[in-house]
Amino acid sequence: MGDRDPPDDGERPNVLSLSACPVCGGSITHVTVHSPSKAVSTPCGCQFPPAGLEFE
């Protein structure tokens, strides 16, 4: 449909990739760091030290 057609390169554009919780492995949308020793992931609510986070 005109100029809005996605490129035909076999990849899906605009696909959201969620991070995995370091405690339970579930998909998380964000992490809130409360202190140097406490972070909470959402939506699972697992608590862990922020040092457990991995960044890409």
Side-chain angles (χ1 to χ4, degrees), residues 7-39:
D8 190 18
D9 59 6
E11 293 185 26
R12 294 178 59 197
N14 301 322
V15 174
L16 179 63
S17 176
L18 299 177
S19 298
C21 173
V23 177
C24 71
S27 295
I28 60 174
T29 56
H30 67 275
V31 173
T32 303
V33 177
H34 293 280
S35 71
S37 62
K38 181 181 175 186

